[in-house]
Amino acid sequence: MLDLRAKTDEQINALIRNHEDKNARGLPIYPLLLEERAKRAQAKRPLDFNKSLALLREAAMKQLCVSYGQIAEASGVEWSKARHQMNGAKGHLDGLLDICHAKGLPMLPAICVNKTNRETGELDPSALLGFAEGARRLGHSFSDAHAFHRARQEECWAWGREQKSGD
């Protein structure tokens, strides 16, 4: 077994890229690489993946969307400090996509939207682009990003109903 702890961040990222470039996401090492990258990112940033996942799980069970600010609040981080860590490649939401993929969870970041869009669940164009890029990086193929996002939200809520009935 490959000792991931002995690898540098750059080596972990290169291994992930190699798996993605070669469409080898189905190999058992790929989710382990994603988790290792997320674990390392967690050590460098105040936003807590576990707290974010707990909030998203609860929201999925309640059939709700959460705001980026609520994600920051769950970690006890002021929005002004969290907002620049939230989006983009290797941002907090992208890391959450990795963790969900690695753990076989639905794409829970699909239910995280701007505060003003919590009722509608709509993503702003730049957020939709980031979500779509993260999904494609993980091997999803689609032509309509909006429809893909909506379908992932529905998956989150269906999963949430299953969790609720299992409690």
Side-chain angles (χ1 to χ4, degrees), residues 85-151:
Q85 299 171 29
M86 199 66 67
N87 299 321
K90 299 183 184 124
H92 189 68
L93 294 173
D94 202 47
L96 287 169
L97 283 175
D98 285 352
I99 292 169
C100 289
H101 181 81
K103 293 184 179 292
L105 297 171
M107 299 177 88
L108 292 172
I111 60 173
C112 186
V113 299
N114 285 337
K115 183 179 181 178
T116 56
N117 295 345
R118 282 186 60 215
E119 292 298 317
T120 65
E122 293 292 322
L123 282 179
D124 291 341
S126 64
L128 181 60
L129 178 63
F131 181 80
E133 287 173 355
R136 286 186 177 110
R137 179 181 53 76
L138 292 171
H140 296 274
S141 180
F142 51 91
S143 57
D144 183 338
H146 184 263
F148 177 80
H149 174 252
R150 281 294 185 191

